[in-house]
Amino acid sequence: MRKINVFDTTLRDGEQSAGVNLNFQEKLEIAKQLERLGVDIIEAGFPASSQGDFASVKAIAQTVKGSSITGLSRSLEREIETTWEALKESAEPRIHVFIATSPIHMEYKLRMTPDQVVENAVAAVKQAAAKFPQVQWSAEDASRSDLPFLARIIREVIDAGATVINLPDTVGYTTPYEIGQMFRYVSEHVPNIDKAILSTHNHDDLGMAVANSLAAIQNGAGQVECTVNGIGERAGNASLEEIAVALNIRQDHYQAKTNLTLKEIKRTSTLVSKLTGMVVPSNKAVVGANAFAHESGIHQDGVLKNKETYEIITPELVGVSSNRMVLGKHSGRHAFKDKLVELGFNGSDEQLQKTFVAFKDLADKKKDITEEDLFALMTEATVGSAVSHYELETLQVNYGTTNIPTATITMKLPNGETVQEAGTGSGSVEAIYNTLERVVDEPILLMDYRIQSTTAGRDSLAEVYVTVQYDGTESSGRGTAHDVLEASAKAYINAVNRTISRKLFNEQRTNPLKV
Ligand code: KIV
Ligand code: ZN
């Protein structure tokens, strides 16, 4: 059985998804969960692209020691240097340096000849190898590159010190047959290929990213790059959970395995979905809400007689619980803490206390508290606390079919003062948002508003996701509460708080190398 390294790029390529902007604390939480999942390599960001990325890559490299941490870099001297500054404290410093190799990218984007690209790639890899024990080199748009040219440049970068060679299908153009041919060609035409691990990285523009990744594995790739829930640029990247489960369920066929702890998959998927605001479609393989639901009578009958008639993956394999009640109103702090630790909690005492208070409050309103509820409360307490410039203290809404909806809100301002405002709107949410705009005293444009429940049942927690335009930038926000109106208010305030945090961060850090 071959071991395939899993390289997760949720925090880099995944974060490039339109509308996604994770803050420092959220990236750290995702990285810790990826470590728990057993990912071999975490691409934590693109350190030279912004001060925010630099700081979060550095913090992840300092904190997460169970996975190798890497950062993306163009083939530029100063970017490679910045990437080193961000990663030098990681357990196994690893850089991911890339340059495009397809005729169209070389001519129009880089405006370089093939010889210049080779020269540039070799120089970048040499510079990187002088510092990093692991150097991954990527041939951007490899799937549309000329194969003999690809073989030549790969041979030269391996000689220069590259230890991993990644061949991305950057535009999601290739097919399983073609990608297999490319990997076979490289394995057979690069004389020093045994000195490096081949890696595959696929985008889903034609819906073939997972199939292409599996075909590359069958043809020599020893590393697969993917994102949780398949998020990423345009149509996204190959989805981690689909590849991992395909390799596990069809071991007979692929003869390959990963080091992942599969029962952490569902939780990882939920965390990424919550923090990015990207909803997982209910029919999504492995992690969708309907992935294990049998609707038709014939199927249900078969499953009752023998599960294997229609079920090839058990929900337990990927950590899907059956919405089980885990705690109730009378559960004590001890049982609560134990359950949280089991769910992966490793926050501070203050965060534990905050989650406990929220739990007690929810238990007064909801009979059975499930793992999903606890996970939602815990996520709010650990990542929500980092961004509270404005804080909601009280909210009251008057709604009647014949009245004008009115909201009255008490808020704590960034300077510590408490203010009360009231406002109206044509609906309750609009009344709340108009009132909040008065408190913040600056125009806030609502671009998107979405709501979903944490669990089934009328007493479920509500999760609201918004995108707003505030202070010249677009920001997303989320809020969780037992009441949909409170969740709506929290999401809006969260988006404003995130904009302020980002602005403060950028003002404080003028030189990323000094972080
Ligand atoms: O899709 C791509 O080509 C990439 C590279 C930077 C590896 O993401
Ligand atoms: Zn990519």
Side-chain angles (χ1 to χ4, degrees):
M1 202 64 78
R2 289 164 62 218
K3 151 92 191 334
I4 305 298
N5 288 341
V6 176
F7 176 116
D8 179 276
T9 182
T10 306
L11 295 174
R12 200 276 299 169
D13 227 346
E15 223 244 350
Q16 284 173 220
S17 308
V20 172
N21 60 61
L22 295 166
N23 66 29
F24 180 89
Q25 193 61 35
E26 290 163 340
K27 287 183 185 174
L28 199 56
E29 281 310 310
I30 290 178
K32 287 192 213 157
Q33 179 58 30
L34 291 172
E35 181 187 29
R36 220 172 280 133
L37 175 64
V39 159
D40 298 284
I41 299 135
I42 298 172
E43 186 163 50
F46 186 170
S49 69
S50 72
Q51 287 149 359
D53 248 38
F54 180 88
S56 54
V57 172
K58 192 175 169 84
I60 291 169
Q62 286 166 333
T63 316
V64 173
K65 301 294 178 189
S67 306
S68 178
I69 310 299
T70 192
L72 185 69
S73 170
R74 287 181 295 176
S75 302
L76 300 173
E77 225 177 294
R78 65 186 149 77
E79 285 198 6
I80 295 168
E81 193 46 47
T82 304
T83 311
W84 171 247
E85 289 303 320
L87 286 164
K88 63 184 178 192
E89 288 163 68
S90 69
E92 183 197 33
R94 179 184 289 260
I95 189 171
H96 178 189
V97 63
F98 75 101
I99 193 162
T101 53
S102 64
I104 185 169
H105 276 233
M106 290 192 289
E107 185 179 346
Y108 295 100
K109 189 183 80 172
L110 299 176
R111 298 191 192 285
M112 285 165 102
T113 64
D115 283 345
Q116 286 171 324
V117 169
V118 175
E119 201 183 313
N120 193 291
V122 168
V125 170
K126 276 193 179 147
Q127 184 197 342
K131 292 211 160 131
F132 289 86
Q134 297 295 338
V135 177
Q136 167 164 330
W137 178 80
S138 279
E140 191 189 11
D141 208 14
S143 56
R144 294 192 298 169
S145 302
D146 171 56
L147 287 177
F149 176 66
L150 208 50
R152 171 187 158 203
I153 193 166
I154 292 172
R155 179 175 52 76
E156 299 216 21
V157 293
I158 293 177
D159 275 344
T163 54
V164 178
I165 300 294
N166 182 40
L167 303 177
D169 180 28
T170 304
V171 292
Y173 178 77
T174 199
T175 66
Y177 177 77
E178 286 170 352
I179 200 167
Q181 295 288 98
M182 176 172 75
F183 274 80
R184 216 165 256 281
Y185 182 93
V186 167
S187 302
E188 287 165 3
H189 291 82
V190 177
N192 52 359
I193 199 68
D194 58 311
K195 297 202 171 62
I197 293 176
L198 277 175
S199 168
T200 186
H201 172 116
N202 299 296
H203 283 267
D204 208 30
D205 300 66
L206 295 176
M208 290 192 275
V210 170
N212 287 338
S213 304
L214 294 168
I217 288 172
Q218 282 184 298
N219 286 281
Q223 174 176 296
V224 63
E225 304 200 358
C226 41
T227 60
V228 176
N229 300 334
I231 65 169
E233 187 90 34
R234 306 183 308 277
N237 288 56
S239 127
L240 176 146
E241 57 282 357
E242 292 179 23
I243 294 170
V245 173
L247 289 177
N248 178 274
I249 298 291
R250 295 307 312 274
Q251 262 176 40
D252 60 322
H253 182 70
Y254 291 109
Q255 295 293 315
K257 64 179 173 84
T258 68
N259 262 357
L260 297 184
T261 304
L262 297 183
K263 68 175 173 38
E264 289 291 334
I265 281 186
K266 179 65 181 179
R267 189 168 304 149
T268 313
S269 160
T270 306
L271 181 70
V272 169
S273 170
K274 267 190 207 310
L275 299 189
T276 57
M278 290 191 75
V279 175
V280 175
S282 45
N283 65 334
K284 166 96 170 60
V286 181
V287 289
N290 293 349
F292 303 101
H294 300 281
E295 267 311 297
S296 97
I298 296 173
H299 288 206
Q300 285 175 354
D301 179 55
V303 168
L304 284 175
K305 288 173 176 151
N306 179 342
K307 277 195 173 179
E308 286 175 25
T309 50
Y310 287 102
E311 201 171 273
I312 60 158
I313 314 165
T314 63
E316 294 76 29
L317 179 77
V318 292
V320 171
S321 69
S322 45
N323 225 1
R324 192 159 65 86
M325 183 279 230
V326 287
L327 293 173
K329 195 179 161 100
H330 301 295
S331 305
R333 177 186 279 275
H334 228 79
F336 175 78
K337 187 178 175 188
D338 286 353
K339 192 69 219 172
L340 237 55
V341 170
E342 199 186 309
L343 289 176
F345 178 83
N346 59 4
S348 63
D349 284 350
E350 194 195 332
Q351 286 164 342
L352 178 72
Q353 176 59 17
K354 208 169 157 187
T355 320
F356 188 63
V357 171
F359 156 69
K360 281 289 175 192
D361 183 44
L362 182 64
D364 275 340
K365 299 169 183 151
K366 190 172 189 282
K367 197 163 141 271
D368 298 335
I369 308 289
T370 65
E371 277 190 4
E372 284 77 5
D373 291 321
L374 282 185
F375 193 64
L377 296 180
M378 178 177 105
T379 308
E380 277 314 298
T382 38
V383 297
S385 55
V387 285
S388 50
H389 306 286
Y390 286 95
E391 243 176 85
L392 180 69
E393 290 198 335
T394 63
L395 165 69
Q396 194 186 328
V397 180
N398 277 323
Y399 175 80
T401 47
T402 52
N403 296 347
I404 296 175
T406 311
T408 310
I409 292 176
T410 316
M411 290 261 280
K412 191 141 145 229
L413 302 181
N415 64 9
E417 258 176 54
T418 298
V419 293
Q420 193 173 59
E421 273 289 354
T424 58
S426 49
S428 302
V429 173
E430 196 194 343
I432 294 170
Y433 287 0
N434 287 345
T435 311
L436 288 174
E437 195 175 45
R438 287 165 78 147
V439 174
V440 171
D441 202 20
E442 260 197 68
I444 307 172
L445 194 64
L446 182 67
M447 315 287 290
D448 191 22
Y449 173 96
R450 277 173 296 127
I451 185 161
Q452 70 177 41
S453 63
T454 302
T455 56
R458 273 175 283 184
D459 58 357
S460 166
L461 281 171
E463 293 174 5
V464 171
Y465 296 91
V466 297
T467 307
V468 302
Q469 231 175 44
Y470 166 69
D471 200 15
T473 47
E474 210 169 281
S475 247
S476 54
R478 67 171 189 283
T480 305
H482 197 253
D483 182 87
V484 293
L485 297 179
E486 189 181 332
S488 302
K490 284 183 167 171
Y492 207 67
I493 297 167
N494 181 250
V496 170
N497 282 336
R498 290 156 82 92
T499 315
I500 299 171
S501 290
R502 210 165 41 235
K503 209 170 151 195
L504 287 176
F505 181 86
N506 286 337
E507 278 168 10
Q508 280 160 10
R509 290 180 162 80
T510 46
N511 181 351
L513 293 181
K514 287 200 181 129
V515 173

mmCIF file of all heavy atoms in Angstrom, residues 135-156:
data_model
loop_
_atom_site.group_PDB
_atom_site.id
_atom_site.type_symbol
_atom_site.label_atom_id
_atom_site.label_comp_id
_atom_site.label_asym_id
_atom_site.label_seq_id
_atom_site.Cartn_x
_atom_site.Cartn_y
_atom_site.Cartn_z
ATOM 1 N N VAL A 135 11.808 21.892 -0.325
ATOM 2 C CA VAL A 135 11.450 22.887 -1.339
ATOM 3 C C VAL A 135 10.485 22.250 -2.336
ATOM 4 O O VAL A 135 10.835 21.309 -3.051
ATOM 5 C CB VAL A 135 12.697 23.398 -2.100
ATOM 6 C CG1 VAL A 135 12.301 24.388 -3.198
ATOM 7 C CG2 VAL A 135 13.687 24.034 -1.136
ATOM 8 N N GLN A 136 9.264 22.769 -2.340
ATOM 9 C CA GLN A 136 8.306 22.302 -3.353
ATOM 10 C C GLN A 136 8.319 23.301 -4.493
ATOM 11 O O GLN A 136 8.175 24.509 -4.282
ATOM 12 C CB GLN A 136 6.898 22.204 -2.758
ATOM 13 C CG GLN A 136 5.845 22.027 -3.851
ATOM 14 C CD GLN A 136 4.505 21.551 -3.350
ATOM 15 O OE1 GLN A 136 4.408 20.832 -2.356
ATOM 16 N NE2 GLN A 136 3.449 21.931 -4.041
ATOM 17 N N TRP A 137 8.448 22.779 -5.703
ATOM 18 C CA TRP A 137 8.417 23.646 -6.878
ATOM 19 C C TRP A 137 7.192 23.277 -7.720
ATOM 20 O O TRP A 137 6.932 22.098 -7.973
ATOM 21 C CB TRP A 137 9.691 23.472 -7.718
ATOM 22 C CG TRP A 137 9.663 24.313 -8.960
ATOM 23 C CD1 TRP A 137 9.931 25.647 -9.059
ATOM 24 C CD2 TRP A 137 9.311 23.881 -10.277
ATOM 25 N NE1 TRP A 137 9.773 26.078 -10.351
ATOM 26 C CE2 TRP A 137 9.393 25.015 -11.117
ATOM 27 C CE3 TRP A 137 8.934 22.664 -10.826
ATOM 28 C CZ2 TRP A 137 9.102 24.961 -12.489
ATOM 29 C CZ3 TRP A 137 8.649 22.600 -12.180
ATOM 30 C CH2 TRP A 137 8.739 23.741 -12.999
ATOM 31 N N SER A 138 6.429 24.310 -8.128
ATOM 32 C CA SER A 138 5.238 24.063 -8.952
ATOM 33 C C SER A 138 5.383 24.670 -10.332
ATOM 34 O O SER A 138 5.814 25.819 -10.474
ATOM 35 C CB SER A 138 4.001 24.692 -8.305
ATOM 36 O OG SER A 138 3.503 23.877 -7.299
ATOM 37 N N ALA A 139 4.960 23.881 -11.331
ATOM 38 C CA ALA A 139 4.917 24.356 -12.718
ATOM 39 C C ALA A 139 3.478 24.811 -12.966
ATOM 40 O O ALA A 139 2.618 24.009 -13.321
ATOM 41 C CB ALA A 139 5.259 23.219 -13.660
ATOM 42 N N GLU A 140 3.208 26.107 -12.722
ATOM 43 C CA GLU A 140 1.830 26.574 -12.876
ATOM 44 C C GLU A 140 1.343 26.311 -14.306
ATOM 45 O O GLU A 140 2.084 26.476 -15.267
ATOM 46 C CB GLU A 140 1.761 28.079 -12.559
ATOM 47 C CG GLU A 140 0.334 28.571 -12.446
ATOM 48 C CD GLU A 140 0.235 30.097 -12.344
ATOM 49 O OE1 GLU A 140 1.252 30.775 -12.575
ATOM 50 O OE2 GLU A 140 -0.874 30.579 -12.069
ATOM 51 N N ASP A 141 0.102 25.865 -14.425
ATOM 52 C CA ASP A 141 -0.508 25.533 -15.723
ATOM 53 C C ASP A 141 0.230 24.367 -16.396
ATOM 54 O O ASP A 141 0.314 24.300 -17.632
ATOM 55 C CB ASP A 141 -0.544 26.763 -16.643
ATOM 56 C CG ASP A 141 -1.709 26.712 -17.641
ATOM 57 O OD1 ASP A 141 -2.639 25.890 -17.459
ATOM 58 O OD2 ASP A 141 -1.683 27.481 -18.625
ATOM 59 N N ALA A 142 0.734 23.450 -15.562
ATOM 60 C CA ALA A 142 1.503 22.307 -16.094
ATOM 61 C C ALA A 142 0.698 21.525 -17.136
ATOM 62 O O ALA A 142 1.242 21.066 -18.146
ATOM 63 C CB ALA A 142 1.893 21.380 -14.946
ATOM 64 N N SER A 143 -0.602 21.389 -16.898
ATOM 65 C CA SER A 143 -1.412 20.541 -17.787
ATOM 66 C C SER A 143 -1.529 21.111 -19.194
ATOM 67 O O SER A 143 -1.941 20.413 -20.119
ATOM 68 C CB SER A 143 -2.800 20.325 -17.181
ATOM 69 O OG SER A 143 -3.387 21.583 -16.932
ATOM 70 N N ARG A 144 -1.204 22.403 -19.384
ATOM 71 C CA ARG A 144 -1.218 22.968 -20.743
ATOM 72 C C ARG A 144 0.216 23.284 -21.201
ATOM 73 O O ARG A 144 0.423 24.113 -22.084
ATOM 74 C CB ARG A 144 -2.105 24.218 -20.788
ATOM 75 C CG ARG A 144 -3.585 23.885 -20.544
ATOM 76 C CD ARG A 144 -4.482 25.045 -20.874
ATOM 77 N NE ARG A 144 -4.204 26.213 -20.044
ATOM 78 C CZ ARG A 144 -4.706 27.423 -20.269
ATOM 79 N NH1 ARG A 144 -5.510 27.617 -21.315
ATOM 80 N NH2 ARG A 144 -4.417 28.425 -19.474
ATOM 81 N N SER A 145 1.181 22.644 -20.557
ATOM 82 C CA SER A 145 2.587 22.896 -20.925
ATOM 83 C C SER A 145 3.065 21.832 -21.910
ATOM 84 O O SER A 145 2.489 20.741 -22.000
ATOM 85 C CB SER A 145 3.464 22.868 -19.674
ATOM 86 O OG SER A 145 3.014 23.827 -18.750
ATOM 87 N N ASP A 146 4.144 22.169 -22.596
ATOM 88 C CA ASP A 146 4.748 21.245 -23.553
ATOM 89 C C ASP A 146 5.517 20.179 -22.747
ATOM 90 O O ASP A 146 6.355 20.516 -21.896
ATOM 91 C CB ASP A 146 5.685 22.101 -24.423
ATOM 92 C CG ASP A 146 6.543 21.278 -25.325
ATOM 93 O OD1 ASP A 146 5.977 20.491 -26.099
ATOM 94 O OD2 ASP A 146 7.794 21.413 -25.236
ATOM 95 N N LEU A 147 5.227 18.896 -22.988
ATOM 96 C CA LEU A 147 5.802 17.850 -22.134
ATOM 97 C C LEU A 147 7.336 17.812 -22.141
ATOM 98 O O LEU A 147 7.950 17.746 -21.069
ATOM 99 C CB LEU A 147 5.205 16.488 -22.485
ATOM 100 C CG LEU A 147 3.744 16.286 -22.014
ATOM 101 C CD1 LEU A 147 3.201 14.937 -22.473
ATOM 102 C CD2 LEU A 147 3.629 16.405 -20.502
ATOM 103 N N PRO A 148 8.002 17.861 -23.320
ATOM 104 C CA PRO A 148 9.476 17.859 -23.275
ATOM 105 C C PRO A 148 10.034 19.052 -22.489
ATOM 106 O O PRO A 148 11.006 18.924 -21.744
ATOM 107 C CB PRO A 148 9.883 17.914 -24.760
ATOM 108 C CG PRO A 148 8.708 17.314 -25.476
ATOM 109 C CD PRO A 148 7.506 17.740 -24.696
ATOM 110 N N PHE A 149 9.389 20.230 -22.614
ATOM 111 C CA PHE A 149 9.856 21.394 -21.850
ATOM 112 C C PHE A 149 9.662 21.145 -20.349
ATOM 113 O O PHE A 149 10.541 21.451 -19.525
ATOM 114 C CB PHE A 149 9.114 22.665 -22.291
ATOM 115 C CG PHE A 149 9.487 23.868 -21.465
ATOM 116 C CD1 PHE A 149 10.779 24.393 -21.506
ATOM 117 C CD2 PHE A 149 8.563 24.466 -20.614
ATOM 118 C CE1 PHE A 149 11.149 25.490 -20.715
ATOM 119 C CE2 PHE A 149 8.918 25.553 -19.822
ATOM 120 C CZ PHE A 149 10.208 26.067 -19.880
ATOM 121 N N LEU A 150 8.508 20.563 -20.003
ATOM 122 C CA LEU A 150 8.229 20.259 -18.600
ATOM 123 C C LEU A 150 9.306 19.318 -18.039
ATOM 124 O O LEU A 150 9.846 19.536 -16.943
ATOM 125 C CB LEU A 150 6.846 19.587 -18.529
ATOM 126 C CG LEU A 150 6.022 19.733 -17.248
ATOM 127 C CD1 LEU A 150 5.922 21.184 -16.807
ATOM 128 C CD2 LEU A 150 4.613 19.154 -17.467
ATOM 129 N N ALA A 151 9.639 18.286 -18.830
ATOM 130 C CA ALA A 151 10.661 17.313 -18.370
ATOM 131 C C ALA A 151 12.002 18.022 -18.155
ATOM 132 O O ALA A 151 12.696 17.777 -17.159
ATOM 133 C CB ALA A 151 10.794 16.184 -19.383
ATOM 134 N N ARG A 152 12.326 18.940 -19.066
ATOM 135 C CA ARG A 152 13.627 19.629 -18.960
ATOM 136 C C ARG A 152 13.690 20.499 -17.694
ATOM 137 O O ARG A 152 14.633 20.420 -16.912
ATOM 138 C CB ARG A 152 13.814 20.502 -20.213
ATOM 139 C CG ARG A 152 14.999 21.406 -20.130
ATOM 140 C CD ARG A 152 15.081 22.389 -21.298
ATOM 141 N NE ARG A 152 15.896 23.534 -20.919
ATOM 142 C CZ ARG A 152 15.820 24.720 -21.487
ATOM 143 N NH1 ARG A 152 14.979 24.938 -22.480
ATOM 144 N NH2 ARG A 152 16.597 25.707 -21.086
ATOM 145 N N ILE A 153 12.639 21.310 -17.479
ATOM 146 C CA ILE A 153 12.681 22.232 -16.334
ATOM 147 C C ILE A 153 12.627 21.458 -15.012
ATOM 148 O O ILE A 153 13.295 21.807 -14.032
ATOM 149 C CB ILE A 153 11.572 23.320 -16.452
ATOM 150 C CG1 ILE A 153 11.829 24.443 -15.446
ATOM 151 C CG2 ILE A 153 10.187 22.788 -16.269
ATOM 152 C CD1 ILE A 153 10.992 25.697 -15.709
ATOM 153 N N ILE A 154 11.884 20.352 -14.992
ATOM 154 C CA ILE A 154 11.804 19.550 -13.752
ATOM 155 C C ILE A 154 13.192 18.981 -13.418
ATOM 156 O O ILE A 154 13.642 19.025 -12.275
ATOM 157 C CB ILE A 154 10.754 18.422 -13.891
ATOM 158 C CG1 ILE A 154 9.347 19.022 -13.960
ATOM 159 C CG2 ILE A 154 10.841 17.436 -12.727
ATOM 160 C CD1 ILE A 154 8.248 18.031 -14.296
ATOM 161 N N ARG A 155 13.871 18.454 -14.446
ATOM 162 C CA ARG A 155 15.210 17.902 -14.206
ATOM 163 C C ARG A 155 16.114 18.977 -13.595
ATOM 164 O O ARG A 155 16.816 18.748 -12.618
ATOM 165 C CB ARG A 155 15.806 17.382 -15.523
ATOM 166 C CG ARG A 155 17.216 16.808 -15.358
ATOM 167 C CD ARG A 155 17.758 16.192 -16.632
ATOM 168 N NE ARG A 155 17.697 17.065 -17.807
ATOM 169 C CZ ARG A 155 18.517 18.096 -18.065
ATOM 170 N NH1 ARG A 155 19.490 18.389 -17.220
ATOM 171 N NH2 ARG A 155 18.371 18.827 -19.157
ATOM 172 N N GLU A 156 16.024 20.194 -14.161
ATOM 173 C CA GLU A 156 16.921 21.261 -13.674
ATOM 174 C C GLU A 156 16.570 21.719 -12.262
ATOM 175 O O GLU A 156 17.460 21.993 -11.452
ATOM 176 C CB GLU A 156 16.903 22.433 -14.659
ATOM 177 C CG GLU A 156 17.406 21.984 -16.032
ATOM 178 C CD GLU A 156 18.220 23.052 -16.745
ATOM 179 O OE1 GLU A 156 18.727 23.968 -16.069
ATOM 180 O OE2 GLU A 156 18.332 22.947 -17.982
#
